[in-house]
Amino acid sequence: MATLILAEAALAIAGFLDDALAYLVQSSGVLGHPVRRRVMSLLVDREIATREELVAALSDDETRSEREVERLETMLHHDHLP
């Protein structure tokens, strides 16, 4: 009985730590910015992509102006992909 309670407690703690770690990874560092999270999700599907391909995938919204697309490419080059 005590072993079962300890096992359940250990699973609960492990689940909590897993959720906490996922939150920390998303809220800071590599995945702290929504653009980086989107880039990572694109790379999970494609494994390899050029910066131009990433820009095209990220700017698939046809309402973006050419200037916004250029700004996105610059932001990827200088901030998110180095």
Side-chain angles (χ1 to χ4, degrees):
M1 178 74 158
T3 306
L4 181 60
I5 292 172
L6 288 175
E8 288 177 356
L11 286 174
I13 291 171
F16 172 77
L17 291 176
D18 191 38
D19 291 344
L21 181 61
Y23 172 78
L24 289 173
V25 166
Q26 286 184 348
S27 64
S28 64
V30 173
L31 300 177
H33 194 280
V35 171
R36 291 182 192 154
R37 287 193 296 271
R38 180 77 172 116
V39 166
M40 291 302 294
S41 70
L42 291 168
L43 291 176
V44 164
D45 294 336
R46 301 173 189 209
E47 293 184 23
I48 297 174
T50 65
R51 186 176 58 241
E52 292 79 16
E53 291 171 335
L54 291 173
V55 169
L58 291 169
S59 61
D60 58 2
D61 182 7
E62 294 161 1
T63 61
R64 289 184 189 249
S65 69
E66 187 173 326
R67 183 171 181 191
E68 289 173 319
V69 173
E70 289 174 1
R71 184 170 177 254
L72 177 60
E73 184 171 6
T74 301
M75 187 171 59
L76 284 176
H77 179 75
H78 291 288
D79 297 331
H80 301 296
L81 296 178

